[in-house]
Amino acid sequence: MAERSESEEVKLLGMWASPFSRRIEIALTLKGVSYEFSEEDITNKSSLLLQLNPVYKMIPVLVHNGKPISESLVILEYIDETWRDNPILPQDPYEKAMARFWAKFVDEQIYVTAMKVVGKIGEERDAVVEATRDLLMFLEKELVGKDFFGGRSLGFVDIVATLVAFWLMRTEEIVGVKVVPVEKFPEIHRWVKNLLGNDVIKKCIPPEDEHLQYIRARSCVLSLGFV
Amino acid sequence: MAEEVILLDFWASMFGMRIRIALSEKRVKYDYREEDLWDKSSLLLEMNPVHKKIPVLIHNGKPVCESLIQIEYIDETWPDKNPLLPSDPYKRAHAKFWADFIDKKVNVTARRIWAAKGEEQEAAKEFIEILKTLESELGDKKYFGDETFGYVDIALIGFYSWFGVYEKFGNISIESECSKLIAWAKRCLERESVAKALPESEKVTTFVSDRRKKLGLE
């Protein structure tokens, strides 16, 4: 259990189905940090959210002793530097740079490309699926010989890449395309099983049935993405 | 141990400039290698197979890619001189937020000013808005890092060498819209690391004019 100073106040403005919000919950839970969760209606944002993140007006926002931090990768690093138990990032500067690189790759390349699968049909969709698979191949290779991206235990990239495991791969049901088939991506599938063996992950990911219902409803509105 | 630092770069890249500045601030000797972006070296393709982009920092044979990640790596590997990031976690998060904002917003919009046909006016307007947001974040501070030149300053200053491009093709005056930011840029240019890293504005503008001709935009 992490140390708590006299008036440690940790609040997370988030959204139950957002991969960016859930990754913060995973990190806080891994570190044993107690926090107050505030569910935001992203179609009707609270004045608190707009005040705390005026630049992007988006969740997640972590508020620590009244001070807000936005952008999920920035928040994750802040959490790691502030609560030192169960480190998420490696200590070695090179290993750390590699972890940051892959996390950025998941968010800026895989997420952006994979988002386009929803709402496309036919040849256009095939092209996006192909592009997504090409990107996923890099992650596949990274996992060879490892239980997790972080090595023997969960780390930064694993937490960020839950986006792939529990969002991208859950949309397969809805879009009716196996974007990540096990024959092509055995390492990724093995890694997802390893994730599901972890209590913190199990506790912090959205419950599957509700999540699938939500994704189904959202993709019917032809909006982009998993959130 | 014999330290070998190589930087694969392109003279006009505002991202490459960040690394030149960071290495210079840390007094790290390095081997600068100019890449032809239209005929990339096998070393570049080998060291950055994912993105195939510069800058690539190669330290004792191991590549680090993505410029903000490189700056953090440099700060952590050579911690003795000129810290580039604050030590306080909240201040660090604040710096990382703004550097990320620069990456998300500045280049994407700025590019549309000169590289996309018919979008110059709209893009130029958006670009000024983005600069104004940054100017407001700067406030009355000497640098984005307050008294110390650091991460956010390094992330943004390279774009200054491209301001002539945006003014010319966007038909705007950045000086009249964002005079505080221009003053900040000039303060940064007083630093040797910055003065040496940034190319001449006219050279960049000539380069972009040539690119526009090749892209059929002129």
Side-chain angles (χ1 to χ4, degrees):
Chain A
M1 188 69 193
E3 298 273 320
R4 295 244 300 182
S5 56
E6 330 83 58
S7 59
E8 187 98 88
E9 191 200 66
V10 183
K11 185 172 180 162
L12 175 63
L13 278 74
M15 194 267 169
W16 73 276
S18 159
F20 306 102
S21 174
R22 288 284 179 169
R23 59 175 61 156
I24 307 307
E25 298 207 73
I26 292 169
L28 290 169
T29 307
L30 262 171
K31 301 259 183 185
V33 179
S34 300
Y35 62 98
E36 180 199 325
F37 183 80
S38 180
E39 180 78 28
E40 279 285 329
D41 175 356
I42 52 176
T43 62
N44 185 18
K45 293 171 182 178
S46 71
S47 54
L48 182 65
L49 174 59
L50 301 178
Q51 178 205 328
L52 294 176
N53 188 0
V55 175
Y56 296 115
K57 305 175 174 58
M58 295 213 294
I59 55 92
V61 179
L62 185 76
V63 191
H64 185 205
N65 293 331
K67 299 200 283 192
I69 303 121
S70 308
E71 288 304 290
S72 65
L73 297 183
V74 176
I75 299 172
L76 287 176
E77 295 211 21
Y78 175 81
I79 290 171
D80 207 34
E81 288 165 15
T82 303
W83 293 280
R84 308 294 226 150
D85 281 352
N86 299 333
I88 293 170
L89 275 162
Q91 284 303 302
D92 171 69
Y94 188 77
E95 296 304 315
K96 205 185 264 197
M98 289 314 296
R100 288 175 172 143
F101 176 87
W102 289 116
K104 197 170 182 195
F105 179 75
V106 168
D107 278 4
E108 293 181 6
Q109 303 295 321
I110 294 181
Y111 174 66
V112 171
T113 303
M115 246 173 59
K116 299 175 189 165
V117 175
V118 179
K120 284 202 165 59
I121 49 167
E123 266 180 29
E124 261 197 334
R125 192 177 74 175
D126 291 345
V128 176
V129 169
E130 205 47 49
T132 306
R133 284 181 184 161
D134 286 345
L135 296 171
L136 285 167
M137 244 339 137
F138 286 109
L139 291 189
E140 176 76 6
K141 292 196 179 105
E142 268 308 292
L143 283 169
V144 170
K146 300 201 302 217
D147 289 339
F148 299 98
F149 288 102
R152 261 178 274 140
S153 56
L154 269 194
F156 193 68
V157 181
D158 299 281
I159 295 171
V160 172
T162 51
L163 183 154
V164 173
F166 306 112
W167 277 265
L168 197 168
M169 286 165 83
R170 280 185 176 175
T171 46
E172 288 181 330
E173 281 225 22
I174 286 107
V175 298
V177 181
K178 274 254 169 267
V179 182
V180 195
V182 61
E183 324 83 65
K184 285 197 160 78
F185 299 100
E187 302 292 341
I188 289 180
H189 279 259
R190 185 176 57 85
W191 166 72
V192 174
K193 285 202 179 76
N194 290 341
L195 285 178
L196 286 167
N198 181 286
D199 289 335
V200 173
I201 295 287
K202 276 193 293 209
K203 184 179 177 203
C204 293
I205 57 176
E208 190 163 11
D209 291 336
E210 284 101 308
H211 196 196
L212 289 175
Q213 246 175 41
Y214 178 84
I215 296 172
R216 210 167 269 130
R218 287 282 301 208
S219 60
C220 283
V221 175
L222 268 188
S223 47
L224 301 170
F226 317 110
V227 181
Chain B
M1 148 149 116
E3 195 97 87
E4 190 201 53
V5 181
I6 299 170
L7 177 64
L8 304 182
D9 198 354
F10 177 70
W11 69 273
S13 163
M14 52 292 257
F15 304 101
M17 290 173 214
R18 293 170 172 178
I19 312 311
R20 291 170 227 166
I21 294 168
L23 289 169
S24 176
E25 287 283 324
K26 297 284 189 176
R27 317 276 188 268
V28 173
K29 286 193 168 60
Y30 65 99
D31 175 10
Y32 177 95
R33 296 205 194 159
E34 184 72 22
E35 283 283 333
D36 177 354
L37 300 185
W38 296 272
D39 185 15
K40 290 173 180 176
S41 73
S42 53
L43 181 65
L44 172 56
L45 300 177
E46 183 199 331
M47 290 285 131
N48 191 358
V50 176
H51 302 294
K52 304 176 175 57
K53 284 183 175 176
I54 56 89
V56 180
L57 181 72
I58 310 172
H59 184 206
N60 295 331
K62 298 200 287 191
V64 180
C65 304
E66 295 300 290
S67 61
L68 293 183
I69 296 174
Q70 289 158 349
I71 302 174
E72 288 175 71
Y73 176 80
I74 290 166
D75 203 35
E76 289 158 17
T77 303
W78 292 280
D80 303 329
K81 288 200 176 60
N82 296 339
L84 304 176
L85 276 144
S87 47
D88 169 69
Y90 188 75
K91 291 186 176 148
R92 286 169 74 80
H94 191 84
K96 286 176 191 176
F97 175 87
W98 284 104
D100 176 71
F101 174 85
I102 290 164
D103 266 10
K104 280 187 165 73
K105 299 280 188 181
V106 179
N107 194 44
V108 173
T109 306
R111 244 194 101 82
R112 281 166 51 215
I113 297 174
W114 66 268
K117 201 162 199 166
E119 290 188 45
E120 315 84 29
Q121 288 313 305
E122 190 194 311
K125 206 166 150 242
E126 277 177 41
F127 181 68
I128 292 293
E129 283 316 303
I130 291 165
L131 289 186
K132 284 195 161 137
T133 303
L134 286 165
E135 205 178 44
S136 146
E137 166 54 26
L138 176 69
D140 291 316
K141 302 198 297 275
K142 185 177 179 189
Y143 297 116
F144 282 92
D146 204 345
E147 281 303 308
T148 328
F149 177 79
Y151 192 64
V152 181
D153 306 280
I154 296 173
L156 185 60
I157 191 60
F159 288 93
Y160 181 72
S161 62
W162 282 70
F163 276 10
V165 170
Y166 310 138
E167 289 183 327
K168 180 174 180 166
F169 299 113
N171 199 26
I172 46 173
S173 162
I174 299 174
E175 169 79 62
S176 59
E177 302 267 12
C178 305
S179 58
K180 269 186 160 174
L181 204 64
I182 298 291
W184 160 82
K186 289 181 174 160
R187 279 196 293 280
C188 292
L189 271 159
E190 287 168 12
R191 297 183 80 82
E192 197 184 332
S193 63
V194 177
K196 283 196 169 151
L198 265 59
E200 295 276 333
S201 191
E202 298 83 60
K203 194 176 171 195
V204 178
T205 308
T206 306
F207 162 71
V208 174
S209 294
D210 285 345
R211 287 296 306 148
R212 279 169 58 89
K213 286 190 185 99
K214 291 194 175 103
L215 292 167
L217 296 166
E218 299 233 347

PDB file of all heavy atoms in Angstrom, chain A residues 184-195:
ATOM      1  N   LYS A 184      -1.997 -15.151 -37.335  1.00  0.00           N
ATOM      2  CA  LYS A 184      -1.020 -14.138 -37.721  1.00  0.00           C
ATOM      3  C   LYS A 184      -0.347 -13.526 -36.489  1.00  0.00           C
ATOM      4  O   LYS A 184       0.773 -13.035 -36.569  1.00  0.00           O
ATOM      5  CB  LYS A 184      -1.690 -13.010 -38.521  1.00  0.00           C
ATOM      6  CG  LYS A 184      -2.046 -13.351 -39.963  1.00  0.00           C
ATOM      7  CD  LYS A 184      -2.315 -12.077 -40.779  1.00  0.00           C
ATOM      8  CE  LYS A 184      -2.199 -12.303 -42.270  1.00  0.00           C
ATOM      9  NZ  LYS A 184      -3.359 -12.957 -42.890  1.00  0.00           N
ATOM     10  N   PHE A 185      -1.097 -13.527 -35.353  1.00  0.00           N
ATOM     11  CA  PHE A 185      -0.599 -12.811 -34.165  1.00  0.00           C
ATOM     12  C   PHE A 185      -0.633 -13.672 -32.914  1.00  0.00           C
ATOM     13  O   PHE A 185      -1.290 -13.335 -31.916  1.00  0.00           O
ATOM     14  CB  PHE A 185      -1.436 -11.529 -33.955  1.00  0.00           C
ATOM     15  CG  PHE A 185      -1.368 -10.564 -35.108  1.00  0.00           C
ATOM     16  CD1 PHE A 185      -2.398 -10.518 -36.038  1.00  0.00           C
ATOM     17  CD2 PHE A 185      -0.283  -9.713 -35.280  1.00  0.00           C
ATOM     18  CE1 PHE A 185      -2.348  -9.638 -37.121  1.00  0.00           C
ATOM     19  CE2 PHE A 185      -0.222  -8.824 -36.346  1.00  0.00           C
ATOM     20  CZ  PHE A 185      -1.252  -8.791 -37.275  1.00  0.00           C
ATOM     21  N   PRO A 186       0.102 -14.812 -32.943  1.00  0.00           N
ATOM     22  CA  PRO A 186       0.089 -15.713 -31.775  1.00  0.00           C
ATOM     23  C   PRO A 186       0.651 -15.049 -30.517  1.00  0.00           C
ATOM     24  O   PRO A 186       0.137 -15.294 -29.419  1.00  0.00           O
ATOM     25  CB  PRO A 186       0.962 -16.892 -32.213  1.00  0.00           C
ATOM     26  CG  PRO A 186       1.824 -16.358 -33.325  1.00  0.00           C
ATOM     27  CD  PRO A 186       1.008 -15.323 -34.014  1.00  0.00           C
ATOM     28  N   GLU A 187       1.661 -14.209 -30.670  1.00  0.00           N
ATOM     29  CA  GLU A 187       2.274 -13.571 -29.495  1.00  0.00           C
ATOM     30  C   GLU A 187       1.305 -12.616 -28.842  1.00  0.00           C
ATOM     31  O   GLU A 187       1.188 -12.571 -27.620  1.00  0.00           O
ATOM     32  CB  GLU A 187       3.556 -12.804 -29.897  1.00  0.00           C
ATOM     33  CG  GLU A 187       4.619 -13.646 -30.575  1.00  0.00           C
ATOM     34  CD  GLU A 187       5.255 -14.674 -29.645  1.00  0.00           C
ATOM     35  OE1 GLU A 187       5.154 -14.523 -28.400  1.00  0.00           O
ATOM     36  OE2 GLU A 187       5.849 -15.641 -30.168  1.00  0.00           O
ATOM     37  N   ILE A 188       0.592 -11.836 -29.644  1.00  0.00           N
ATOM     38  CA  ILE A 188      -0.376 -10.885 -29.097  1.00  0.00           C
ATOM     39  C   ILE A 188      -1.481 -11.635 -28.342  1.00  0.00           C
ATOM     40  O   ILE A 188      -1.873 -11.239 -27.247  1.00  0.00           O
ATOM     41  CB  ILE A 188      -0.948  -9.956 -30.191  1.00  0.00           C
ATOM     42  CG1 ILE A 188       0.139  -8.969 -30.647  1.00  0.00           C
ATOM     43  CG2 ILE A 188      -2.184  -9.193 -29.701  1.00  0.00           C
ATOM     44  CD1 ILE A 188      -0.282  -7.985 -31.733  1.00  0.00           C
ATOM     45  N   HIS A 189      -1.948 -12.731 -28.924  1.00  0.00           N
ATOM     46  CA  HIS A 189      -2.990 -13.514 -28.245  1.00  0.00           C
ATOM     47  C   HIS A 189      -2.486 -14.092 -26.939  1.00  0.00           C
ATOM     48  O   HIS A 189      -3.211 -14.106 -25.934  1.00  0.00           O
ATOM     49  CB  HIS A 189      -3.534 -14.597 -29.186  1.00  0.00           C
ATOM     50  CG  HIS A 189      -4.543 -14.069 -30.156  1.00  0.00           C
ATOM     51  ND1 HIS A 189      -5.900 -14.240 -29.969  1.00  0.00           N
ATOM     52  CD2 HIS A 189      -4.403 -13.327 -31.288  1.00  0.00           C
ATOM     53  CE1 HIS A 189      -6.559 -13.638 -30.967  1.00  0.00           C
ATOM     54  NE2 HIS A 189      -5.677 -13.081 -31.781  1.00  0.00           N
ATOM     55  N   ARG A 190      -1.253 -14.543 -26.938  1.00  0.00           N
ATOM     56  CA  ARG A 190      -0.645 -15.090 -25.715  1.00  0.00           C
ATOM     57  C   ARG A 190      -0.539 -13.981 -24.663  1.00  0.00           C
ATOM     58  O   ARG A 190      -0.846 -14.155 -23.488  1.00  0.00           O
ATOM     59  CB  ARG A 190       0.739 -15.658 -26.055  1.00  0.00           C
ATOM     60  CG  ARG A 190       1.453 -16.376 -24.930  1.00  0.00           C
ATOM     61  CD  ARG A 190       2.783 -16.977 -25.433  1.00  0.00           C
ATOM     62  NE  ARG A 190       3.662 -15.973 -26.010  1.00  0.00           N
ATOM     63  CZ  ARG A 190       4.502 -15.213 -25.309  1.00  0.00           C
ATOM     64  NH1 ARG A 190       4.559 -15.323 -24.004  1.00  0.00           N
ATOM     65  NH2 ARG A 190       5.273 -14.327 -25.919  1.00  0.00           N
ATOM     66  N   TRP A 191      -0.149 -12.805 -25.119  1.00  0.00           N
ATOM     67  CA  TRP A 191      -0.023 -11.658 -24.223  1.00  0.00           C
ATOM     68  C   TRP A 191      -1.375 -11.266 -23.624  1.00  0.00           C
ATOM     69  O   TRP A 191      -1.466 -10.985 -22.421  1.00  0.00           O
ATOM     70  CB  TRP A 191       0.597 -10.493 -25.007  1.00  0.00           C
ATOM     71  CG  TRP A 191       0.498  -9.143 -24.358  1.00  0.00           C
ATOM     72  CD1 TRP A 191       1.184  -8.682 -23.275  1.00  0.00           C
ATOM     73  CD2 TRP A 191      -0.330  -8.067 -24.785  1.00  0.00           C
ATOM     74  NE1 TRP A 191       0.834  -7.384 -22.992  1.00  0.00           N
ATOM     75  CE2 TRP A 191      -0.104  -6.977 -23.904  1.00  0.00           C
ATOM     76  CE3 TRP A 191      -1.255  -7.897 -25.827  1.00  0.00           C
ATOM     77  CZ2 TRP A 191      -0.752  -5.742 -24.046  1.00  0.00           C
ATOM     78  CZ3 TRP A 191      -1.900  -6.668 -25.958  1.00  0.00           C
ATOM     79  CH2 TRP A 191      -1.652  -5.603 -25.064  1.00  0.00           C
ATOM     80  N   VAL A 192      -2.436 -11.305 -24.405  1.00  0.00           N
ATOM     81  CA  VAL A 192      -3.767 -10.963 -23.890  1.00  0.00           C
ATOM     82  C   VAL A 192      -4.156 -11.941 -22.772  1.00  0.00           C
ATOM     83  O   VAL A 192      -4.689 -11.536 -21.736  1.00  0.00           O
ATOM     84  CB  VAL A 192      -4.837 -10.964 -25.017  1.00  0.00           C
ATOM     85  CG1 VAL A 192      -6.224 -10.757 -24.432  1.00  0.00           C
ATOM     86  CG2 VAL A 192      -4.533  -9.888 -26.042  1.00  0.00           C
ATOM     87  N   LYS A 193      -3.811 -13.232 -22.965  1.00  0.00           N
ATOM     88  CA  LYS A 193      -4.095 -14.234 -21.924  1.00  0.00           C
ATOM     89  C   LYS A 193      -3.319 -13.896 -20.652  1.00  0.00           C
ATOM     90  O   LYS A 193      -3.851 -13.989 -19.542  1.00  0.00           O
ATOM     91  CB  LYS A 193      -3.712 -15.639 -22.387  1.00  0.00           C
ATOM     92  CG  LYS A 193      -4.660 -16.272 -23.379  1.00  0.00           C
ATOM     93  CD  LYS A 193      -4.532 -17.816 -23.374  1.00  0.00           C
ATOM     94  CE  LYS A 193      -5.503 -18.466 -24.346  1.00  0.00           C
ATOM     95  NZ  LYS A 193      -5.087 -18.339 -25.779  1.00  0.00           N
ATOM     96  N   ASN A 194      -2.054 -13.481 -20.838  1.00  0.00           N
ATOM     97  CA  ASN A 194      -1.258 -13.096 -19.678  1.00  0.00           C
ATOM     98  C   ASN A 194      -1.874 -11.906 -18.948  1.00  0.00           C
ATOM     99  O   ASN A 194      -1.916 -11.863 -17.727  1.00  0.00           O
ATOM    100  CB  ASN A 194       0.174 -12.749 -20.109  1.00  0.00           C
ATOM    101  CG  ASN A 194       0.952 -13.989 -20.546  1.00  0.00           C
ATOM    102  OD1 ASN A 194       0.582 -15.119 -20.205  1.00  0.00           O
ATOM    103  ND2 ASN A 194       2.004 -13.790 -21.302  1.00  0.00           N
ATOM    104  N   LEU A 195      -2.368 -10.948 -19.724  1.00  0.00           N
ATOM    105  CA  LEU A 195      -3.018  -9.776 -19.128  1.00  0.00           C
ATOM    106  C   LEU A 195      -4.226 -10.218 -18.297  1.00  0.00           C
ATOM    107  O   LEU A 195      -4.416  -9.753 -17.183  1.00  0.00           O
ATOM    108  CB  LEU A 195      -3.495  -8.799 -20.213  1.00  0.00           C
ATOM    109  CG  LEU A 195      -2.462  -7.941 -20.929  1.00  0.00           C
ATOM    110  CD1 LEU A 195      -3.140  -7.078 -21.987  1.00  0.00           C
ATOM    111  CD2 LEU A 195      -1.693  -7.060 -19.956  1.00  0.00           C
TER     112      LEU A 195
END
